[in-house]
Amino acid sequence: MLKIVENYKELRQNIGMLIKKSGYKNSFIAEKLGIPTPNFSVKKKRGSWTIEEVEKILGIIDNEELEDFYLGKIMEEVEKENEYMTLDEFKKGMGWK
C-alpha cells in the first residue's frame, strides 16, 4: 500500500516532465484545467498538483509514447533497487486495468 502512495507522490512531482514530453503547451493544459497560465507554471515547477488536477492532466496528455517513456523511467528505478515485478503486478500496483 505504501508503494502505491510513493508512486503517486513521484508521479505528482514529475508531472511537469511528462507535460514537457507530451508536447502540449502550458497555456493549452492550463486552459483545459481552468486555471491561469502563471498559476499553472508555478504548480508545474513545484509539483503541487491536486489529485483531480493530476487526473485531468493525464487525461489530456495520455498517449502510448508518453506511457512508454514513464514506464521506462519506472523500470530504471526498479532496476536500481534490484526489485522486479511482472507487468500485471505493476498495473495492479498503479491501479490500472
Side-chain angles (χ1 to χ4, degrees):
M1 197 66 103
L2 279 177
K3 192 68 173 166
I4 293 170
V5 173
E6 290 172 14
N7 287 341
Y8 172 72
K9 285 180 181 179
E10 184 176 344
L11 171 64
R12 203 173 115 192
Q13 286 299 313
N14 292 304
I15 200 90
M17 175 186 57
L18 294 175
I19 291 167
K20 184 177 178 180
K21 286 285 183 187
S22 76
Y24 287 101
K25 293 185 177 188
N26 287 351
S27 57
F28 174 78
I29 298 173
E31 181 182 325
K32 293 290 187 182
L33 293 176
I35 60 175
T37 302
N39 292 10
F40 178 85
S41 295
V42 170
K43 284 179 164 281
K44 184 178 172 185
K45 183 177 179 180
R46 294 182 182 163
S48 58
W49 308 102
T50 65
I51 292 171
E52 292 79 15
E53 290 168 337
V54 170
E55 288 177 326
K56 287 179 183 178
I57 291 169
L58 292 176
I60 294 166
I61 68 173
D62 185 33
N63 64 49
E64 190 171 318
E65 184 177 323
L66 191 60
E67 283 183 22
D68 290 346
F69 172 78
Y70 191 63
L71 181 57
K73 288 293 185 186
I74 291 171
M75 290 172 70
E76 287 172 9
E77 290 301 314
V78 167
E79 192 171 292
K80 287 179 190 175
E81 298 172 4
N82 291 324
E83 295 179 19
Y84 297 94
M85 67 175 75
T86 66
L87 180 57
D88 288 334
E89 290 171 333
F90 172 75
K91 287 180 178 180
K92 184 177 179 182
M94 294 300 293
W96 297 348
K97 296 181 179 182

